[in-house]
Amino acid sequence: MHQPIPADIDIARHASMLPIGEIAARLGIPDSALEPHGRVKAKISLDLYRGLRAGPQGKLVLVTAITPTPAGEGKTTTTIGLTDALARLGKKAMLCIREPSLGPCFGIKGGAAGGGYAQVVPMEDINLHFTGDFHAIGVAHNLLSAVIDNHLASGNALDIDPARVVWRRVVDMNDRALRQIVVGLGGSANGAPRETGYDITVASEVMAVFCLSESIHELKERLGRMIVAYTRDRRPVLASQLKVHGAMAALLKDAIKPNLVQTLENNPALVHGGPFANIAHGCNSLIATRMALGLADYVVTEAGFGADLGAEKFLDIMCRQSGLVPDAVVLVATVRALKMHGGVAKADLGRPDAEAVRRGLPNLLKHLENIQAWGLPVVVAVNHFTADTPEETAAIEEACAALGVKAVRADHWARGGEGALDLAGALLELTGGPRPALAFTYPGELPLWEKVRTVARRIYGASDIKGDAKVLKAFADLEAAGFGHLPVCLAKTQYSFSTDPQLRGRPEGFTLAVRDVRVSAGAGFVVVLTGDIMTMPGLPKVPAAELIDIDEEGNITGLS
Amino acid sequence: MHQPIPADIDIARHASMLPIGEIAARLGIPDSALEPHGRVKAKISLDLYRGLRAGPQGKLVLVTAITPTPAGEGKTTTTIGLTDALARLGKKAMLCIREPSLGPCFGIKGGAAGGGYAQVVPMEDINLHFTGDFHAIGVAHNLLSAVIDNHLASGNALDIDPARVVWRRVVDMNDRALRQIVVGLGGSANGAPRETGYDITVASEVMAVFCLSESIHELKERLGRMIVAYTRDRRPVLASQLKVHGAMAALLKDAIKPNLVQTLENNPALVHGGPFANIAHGCNSLIATRMALGLADYVVTEAGFGADLGAEKFLDIMCRQSGLVPDAVVLVATVRALKMHGGVAKADLGRPDAEAVRRGLPNLLKHLENIQAWGLPVVVAVNHFTADTPEETAAIEEACAALGVKAVRADHWARGGEGALDLAGALLELTGGPRPALAFTYPGELPLWEKVRTVARRIYGASDIKGDAKVLKAFADLEAAGFGHLPVCLAKTQYSFSTDPQLRGRPEGFTLAVRDVRVSAGAGFVVVLTGDIMTMPGLPKVPAAELIDIDEEGNITGLS
């Protein structure tokens, strides 16, 4: 597909990394604020963070993508390549991305530290444990789980209904056998039997809370607000009533410090936090992004999945809560993915077919319309594959031009920052003016049900939404309980604007069925479920773990 | 009890720690071998380890204790105080201890980094995640668990009997509701329902394997040898047959590097690994101890529980496998604990009672006899409490003198290394000669059942052992399967030489009932169960977690 270049891990292993202290020094981070983790990773202290808030702030660039297909889009490689290109143009640039989840590394997916010549390194470390943040988040979550069952077994003073414990357990592993389990078997010394289950750590509300908190104080407050269960008379039970939100925050004391690493071209990267982009907001930690804005002139960050999910949540949840506003958006597309949106099967993607690209373009154009409706300047990055023809690329350029948007071919995967110089140039043009005025999709005071309808109509292009009486009652209950002012976080398949993953392109005339709703009171949003959302992945028949190995010198093979 | 001094965490927080690079430099560790984790913790590379094996080796001192009582003995504080005292006497001294488990910090027990003025620091970090080793071990363990259930759900080519999967899951948390669970509920997409459970991470065989391996190659080999299940026709299924022992080792690539920290008096400490001392051998990692022996003239380490469990396993398992031999043993006792062995209730321990001490002395003397039978020089450390009277201490000294053993009062808890100078002096005398000839409790070629009988009679003072037909058959099966040459690892209550925790002092004439036996084929020992061994602790009604908190500057309170 791409021209032949070495495997990601081979490129990464032969990277000439600078000592992390040198990367930090270039950013003006004092040595006292740096907590090295080995030679090429470091955490940055929150003291520095507090100081930076008062100083000048860089420009924020949000990288998002068209609706994902199995062809791949390359959002993370674009984030990295663009940062390297901005640095080549003399800008003080850095990037912020999410930490990879460990579980999927052993399943199908492989790592999440970029690829080709657009990677953050050390990729083995970033993909395997990194600085331990996700384990810390998992343990904080599971401490609360253990305390809930302990409370049930020790007199249940809060009158928790054992059948209405909504707080599950988490582990950073793809382990389908844990999706639904019964705990507390083996007699009363082990508590009472109760049905529950595990989610993967990135699905934990602790992860979302962690990524939205700007101080330890706020972290504790948000952790305390999380709803863990309901009483027999249906009153919510908060984590604070179990009195371990302080201990949970203590467990997160190091995790909350952003992680500094570097790109293959030795530019700084903060890799920190990583909530799901369906049941949560899907961005790296707010602390990391804000810290970067205080350190660099240009900060490139990315949102999860396609722009309908990730960018919408980035803007309507994260920016709303924090006051951040991106200065520009990069929408990543590929010729191959557009062909799939145009109806071509994966096996046939190698054949030149500008007409198929044109048929797929409505997907891209709808995303562009959405971004423009948010009031944000946008450029399209056409992430280049060797087999792409000039006619195919031209089809994209023409269609974008009709909306006044530039589409720029980018070749960072094969050529690093040099391959994204045009994209960086276009971005600099785009961000020359004053900060744009961000128009949220909906106002905060709109009722929850209307918020969902607005997102579905304006962002997804649905005709309307629907829900049965039980769902409508659940919305009404949340309004009555005082959660009506919160933004909504729609969990929907990432493979379509609609809820049907087979409907590529720009589906129209569909009605979005709302299946369930619940509140993430600590994170500060209402999660709206529109289908079965998998919060605990499984392993494939032959897991990637079988290929992973290590030699006596500590070199890892088989990690992709 | 002790004279009033500040709380452990207050002493620890006001410690003046040296940069870890300075501690390392004093040991001659080159900068290139040091992987800092923040300012005051570091991992040491295995490259250095390999180089040190060829150089001069220091003297090894094993700290163990009389049979534990609720009065407390102070084994870890003695290990730390003795190291600080040896340094004050001009010796290049360091210590090796186990990493604390996170789970118990939130239950009753508090931390495990020493206490008073004999601590290793930073104690908050060491007690909370530290460098992430236990999480890495837990994930490596749970990867194998997920792969087993995945194998069962994907055709079960190995013909594993779902009812005979012996590999459970682990978490570093006290969570009694997880002791016995059913996984795989919710339909065939989640696998098939199966009964299993969780242990605390320190009980994982991965932990034992990790602590006994001297290279990545050996680690992989041992992981591959672990028995995870049995087929329908009762053949063992090894981890290597599931092909993820390489990935498990990759997950442990950083964990396996020993962690360097310091005592309050700025002496070096390796804190690394920590298996249980009942179902496993209970010592810090072999790599850490060997590395220390290559770096220092005196290395002080400790074994778990009392000498009947911890020291016996240190010698008969770890020393047998590795060829290590301690140059001397320190047996820690307190006046208070001996009074409890002499029949005094905990509430009455403050009252002077030399007669009760004398009544409790047979416990101490039996441990001394055992140590002498192993052929090892020994000194008794009488860990001092303020209320102890000279008569009480004298009673101990006299009884020890009759066995030719010196008993030395040590006051390191209140005074740091200065309080253990006499103990250090006695130790230097003891280690002046050539390395002693270690006499194992039993020869490797003795049948397993006879090994158990020998430990029970010689070390515990039992008249005999017994087991029902099922147990005897299990021993015969292990012999037939080729495990007869392995050492035995007896899991017994730590509160008595016998299996009855109420029997303090030196019980005699009892028969040790063997309840079950199983093999830890990767760790290389046969685990012999003599009672219910708790491998997943619970939380108390009011967990210690409720007291733990953190402020905006990251200061932690409530951790003890």
Side-chain angles (χ1 to χ4, degrees):
Chain A
M1 311 182 190
H2 279 292
Q3 65 203 62
I5 70 165
D8 291 355
I9 193 163
D10 292 321
I11 295 175
R13 196 188 298 158
H14 293 99
S16 59
M17 285 183 267
L18 293 178
I20 200 65
E22 209 168 304
I23 301 284
R26 286 193 203 165
L27 286 170
I29 298 173
D31 210 40
S32 60
L34 203 69
E35 299 179 7
H37 276 241
R39 308 262 134 201
V40 288
K41 309 184 292 274
K43 283 191 164 280
I44 308 178
S45 85
L46 293 195
D47 293 345
L48 180 76
Y49 176 73
R50 289 185 283 263
L52 289 171
R53 290 297 304 277
Q57 304 290 302
K59 300 215 181 240
L60 180 61
V61 179
L62 175 65
V63 177
T64 182
I66 61 169
T67 301
T69 70
E73 288 69 42
K75 209 166 43 189
T76 303
T77 56
T78 303
T79 302
I80 297 167
L82 175 58
T83 305
D84 285 337
L86 286 165
R88 282 172 183 255
L89 294 178
K91 300 297 174 189
K92 197 171 175 185
M94 69 189 296
L95 67 90
C96 294
I97 57 174
R98 291 175 290 173
E99 296 181 56
S101 176
L102 186 62
C105 287
F106 301 113
I108 299 177
K109 183 178 159 294
Y117 286 98
Q119 293 190 51
V120 285
V121 281
M123 83 87 112
E124 312 92 293
D125 292 19
I126 293 170
N127 280 309
L128 301 177
H129 309 303
F130 198 23
T131 56
D133 296 344
F134 282 17
H135 294 321
I137 288 167
V139 165
H141 182 117
N142 290 337
L143 170 62
L144 183 53
S145 313
V147 166
I148 293 167
D149 273 302
N150 191 57
H151 184 88
L152 287 171
S154 309
N156 194 11
L158 294 170
D159 195 35
I160 292 172
D161 182 348
R164 289 199 171 77
V165 176
V166 293
W167 195 256
R168 293 156 52 95
R169 287 173 176 80
V170 297
V171 64
D172 195 5
M173 183 60 61
N174 288 16
D175 193 344
R176 71 162 67 78
L178 294 178
R179 285 175 188 155
Q180 206 171 324
I181 67 175
V182 170
V183 299
L185 297 169
S188 63
N190 300 350
R194 183 172 75 73
E195 221 177 297
T196 181
Y198 275 76
D199 298 317
I200 193 161
T201 302
V202 294
S204 165
E205 188 177 348
V206 177
M207 177 68 85
V209 159
F210 175 92
C211 287
L212 288 166
S213 297
E214 295 195 57
S215 67
I216 290 176
H217 175 77
E218 183 180 354
L219 176 68
K220 271 198 284 191
E221 282 228 327
R222 284 177 178 265
L223 290 172
R225 279 205 299 269
M226 298 187 307
I227 295 174
V228 300
Y230 293 86
T231 61
R232 284 182 228 265
D233 56 358
R234 310 291 174 91
R235 283 170 296 111
V237 177
L238 308 186
S240 59
Q241 295 177 265
L242 291 153
K243 300 179 197 154
V244 289
H245 51 303
M248 292 170 74
L251 280 168
L252 298 171
K253 78 178 175 74
D254 292 316
I256 202 162
K257 302 168 190 166
N259 304 299
L260 179 67
V261 290
Q262 62 193 289
T263 68
L264 288 174
E265 300 187 5
N266 308 125
N267 293 306
L270 292 181
V271 180
H272 195 225
F276 263 169
N278 42 39
I279 58 157
H281 63 292
C283 331
N284 62 261
S285 78
L286 178 56
I287 283 188
T289 300
R290 275 220 200 277
M291 185 178 269
L293 288 170
L295 290 168
D297 298 329
Y298 278 83
V299 176
V300 186
T301 188
E302 67 171 324
F305 299 144
D308 55 330
L309 287 168
E312 190 275 322
K313 294 177 172 83
F314 184 96
L315 301 167
D316 284 317
I317 296 175
M318 215 261 271
C319 290
R320 190 190 301 261
Q321 286 194 11
S322 65
L324 281 183
V325 176
D327 293 88
V329 176
V330 176
L331 182 71
V332 181
T334 62
V335 164
R336 292 161 54 82
L338 288 170
K339 282 185 198 168
M340 288 200 85
H341 282 296
V344 176
K346 196 176 174 190
D348 300 328
L349 289 176
R351 199 180 312 144
D353 189 348
E355 203 40 57
V357 172
R358 276 186 207 99
R359 283 199 309 273
L361 274 167
N363 181 275
L364 183 151
L365 298 175
K366 171 61 179 153
H367 286 296
L368 283 182
E369 287 169 27
N370 290 343
I371 295 165
Q372 291 183 326
W374 283 314
L376 301 174
V378 58
V379 59
V380 172
V382 184
N383 187 13
H384 186 68
F385 281 62
T386 317
D388 298 351
T389 66
E391 293 69 27
E392 291 171 323
T393 309
I396 303 174
E397 287 163 0
E398 282 160 28
C400 293
L403 286 176
V405 172
K406 210 167 188 174
V408 184
R409 185 183 126 164
D411 199 13
H412 42 270
W413 191 87
R415 298 198 293 137
E418 204 191 342
L421 286 175
D422 291 348
L423 178 63
L427 190 86
L428 291 181
E429 273 176 40
L430 214 57
T431 53
R435 178 147 295 180
L438 170 61
F440 297 124
T441 306
Y442 50 83
E445 61 272 18
L446 208 62
L448 293 169
W449 184 253
E450 293 308 317
K451 285 175 182 158
V452 178
R453 196 197 306 267
T454 307
V455 172
R457 283 184 170 165
R458 289 188 49 182
I459 306 300
Y460 305 162
S463 314
D464 205 353
I465 61 172
K466 65 180 176 190
D468 62 20
K470 202 181 136 208
V471 166
L472 294 173
K473 163 108 176 35
F475 272 85
D477 287 350
L478 286 175
E479 296 278 354
F483 296 115
H485 65 290
L486 292 180
V488 290
C489 179
L490 273 74
K492 176 181 72 67
T493 175
Q494 67 265 38
Y495 297 114
S496 173
F497 275 112
S498 76
T499 55
D500 176 358
Q502 306 302 324
L503 284 184
R504 298 215 170 101
R506 179 180 184 163
E508 280 179 328
F510 61 93
T511 300
L512 189 91
V514 174
R515 309 252 305 237
D516 204 354
V517 63
R518 61 188 194 220
V519 62
S520 289
F525 48 71
V526 167
V527 180
V528 179
L529 301 165
T530 68
D532 289 329
I533 299 297
M534 178 63 68
T535 51
M536 171 52 91
L539 292 170
K541 183 159 181 174
V542 180
E546 291 190 11
L547 303 173
I548 297 174
D549 204 355
I550 182 172
D551 68 16
E552 198 58 40
E553 277 65 49
N555 297 313
I556 289 178
T557 47
L559 196 64
S560 61
Chain B
M1 313 186 188
H2 280 292
Q3 64 204 62
I5 68 163
D8 291 355
I9 193 163
D10 293 322
I11 295 176
R13 196 187 300 156
H14 293 98
S16 58
M17 286 182 268
L18 293 179
I20 200 65
E22 210 169 303
I23 301 285
R26 286 194 205 164
L27 286 171
I29 298 174
D31 211 38
S32 61
L34 203 69
E35 299 179 8
H37 275 241
R39 307 262 133 201
V40 288
K41 309 183 293 276
K43 283 192 165 281
I44 308 179
S45 85
L46 293 195
D47 293 344
L48 180 76
Y49 176 73
R50 290 185 283 263
L52 289 171
R53 290 297 304 277
Q57 304 290 302
K59 300 218 182 237
L60 180 61
V61 179
L62 175 65
V63 176
T64 183
I66 61 169
T67 302
T69 71
E73 288 69 41
K75 207 166 46 188
T76 303
T77 56
T78 302
T79 301
I80 297 166
L82 175 57
T83 304
D84 285 337
L86 285 165
R88 281 172 184 255
L89 293 178
K91 301 297 173 190
K92 197 170 174 186
M94 70 189 295
L95 67 90
C96 293
I97 57 174
R98 291 176 290 173
E99 297 181 57
S101 175
L102 187 62
C105 287
F106 301 113
I108 299 175
K109 183 178 159 292
Y117 286 98
Q119 292 190 53
V120 284
V121 282
M123 84 87 113
E124 312 92 295
D125 292 19
I126 294 171
N127 280 310
L128 300 177
H129 310 303
F130 198 23
T131 56
D133 297 343
F134 283 17
H135 294 320
I137 289 167
V139 166
H141 182 117
N142 291 338
L143 170 61
L144 183 53
S145 313
V147 166
I148 293 167
D149 272 303
N150 192 57
H151 183 88
L152 286 171
S154 309
N156 194 9
L158 294 171
D159 195 36
I160 291 172
D161 182 347
R164 288 198 170 75
V165 177
V166 293
W167 194 256
R168 292 156 54 94
R169 286 174 177 81
V170 298
V171 64
D172 196 4
M173 184 58 62
N174 288 15
D175 193 345
R176 71 162 67 79
L178 293 179
R179 285 173 189 156
Q180 208 171 322
I181 67 175
V182 170
V183 298
L185 296 170
S188 63
N190 300 350
R194 183 172 76 73
E195 221 177 297
T196 181
Y198 273 77
D199 298 317
I200 192 161
T201 302
V202 293
S204 165
E205 187 176 350
V206 178
M207 177 69 84
V209 159
F210 175 93
C211 286
L212 288 167
S213 297
E214 296 194 58
S215 68
I216 290 175
H217 176 76
E218 183 179 355
L219 176 68
K220 270 198 284 189
E221 280 228 328
R222 285 177 178 265
L223 291 172
R225 280 205 300 269
M226 298 187 307
I227 295 173
V228 300
Y230 292 87
T231 61
R232 284 182 228 267
D233 56 0
R234 310 292 175 91
R235 284 172 295 110
V237 177
L238 309 186
S240 59
Q241 295 177 264
L242 292 152
K243 301 181 197 152
V244 288
H245 51 303
M248 292 171 74
L251 281 168
L252 298 171
K253 79 178 175 72
D254 291 316
I256 202 162
K257 302 168 189 166
N259 305 299
L260 179 67
V261 289
Q262 61 194 288
T263 68
L264 288 174
E265 299 188 5
N266 309 125
N267 293 307
L270 293 181
V271 180
H272 195 225
F276 263 169
N278 42 40
I279 58 156
H281 62 291
C283 330
N284 62 262
S285 79
L286 178 56
I287 283 188
T289 300
R290 276 221 200 276
M291 185 178 268
L293 288 169
L295 290 167
D297 298 329
Y298 278 84
V299 176
V300 186
T301 188
E302 66 170 324
F305 297 145
D308 54 330
L309 288 168
E312 191 275 321
K313 294 176 172 81
F314 184 96
L315 300 168
D316 284 317
I317 296 175
M318 214 263 270
C319 289
R320 189 189 302 260
Q321 287 195 11
S322 65
L324 281 183
V325 176
D327 293 88
V329 177
V330 175
L331 183 72
V332 180
T334 62
V335 164
R336 292 161 53 84
L338 288 170
K339 281 183 197 168
M340 289 200 84
H341 281 296
V344 176
K346 196 177 174 190
D348 299 329
L349 289 176
R351 199 180 311 144
D353 189 348
E355 202 40 56
V357 172
R358 275 187 208 98
R359 284 198 309 274
L361 274 166
N363 182 275
L364 183 151
L365 298 175
K366 172 61 179 154
H367 286 296
L368 283 183
E369 287 170 27
N370 289 344
I371 294 165
Q372 290 182 326
W374 283 314
L376 300 174
V378 57
V379 58
V380 172
V382 185
N383 187 13
H384 185 68
F385 281 62
T386 318
D388 299 350
T389 66
E391 293 70 28
E392 292 172 323
T393 309
I396 303 174
E397 287 163 0
E398 282 160 27
C400 292
L403 286 176
V405 172
K406 209 167 189 174
V408 184
R409 185 183 126 163
D411 199 13
H412 42 271
W413 192 86
R415 298 197 294 136
E418 205 192 340
L421 286 175
D422 291 348
L423 178 63
L427 190 87
L428 291 181
E429 274 176 37
L430 215 56
T431 53
R435 178 148 294 182
L438 170 60
F440 296 125
T441 306
Y442 49 81
E445 62 272 18
L446 207 63
L448 293 169
W449 184 254
E450 293 308 316
K451 284 174 183 159
V452 178
R453 196 196 305 269
T454 307
V455 172
R457 282 184 170 161
R458 289 188 49 182
I459 306 299
Y460 304 163
S463 315
D464 205 352
I465 62 172
K466 65 181 177 189
D468 62 21
K470 202 180 137 208
V471 167
L472 293 173
K473 163 115 179 22
F475 271 85
D477 288 348
L478 286 175
E479 297 278 354
F483 296 115
H485 65 289
L486 293 179
V488 290
C489 180
L490 273 73
K492 174 181 72 68
T493 174
Q494 67 266 39
Y495 297 113
S496 173
F497 275 112
S498 76
T499 54
D500 177 357
Q502 307 302 324
L503 284 185
R504 297 216 170 100
R506 180 180 183 163
E508 280 179 329
F510 61 92
T511 299
L512 189 91
V514 175
R515 309 252 305 238
D516 204 355
V517 62
R518 61 186 195 222
V519 63
S520 288
F525 49 71
V526 167
V527 180
V528 179
L529 301 165
T530 68
D532 289 329
I533 299 298
M534 178 63 69
T535 50
M536 172 51 93
L539 292 169
K541 183 160 180 174
V542 180
E546 291 190 9
L547 303 172
I548 298 175
D549 205 355
I550 182 171
D551 69 16
E552 199 57 40
E553 277 65 49
N555 297 311
I556 289 178
T557 47
L559 195 64
S560 61

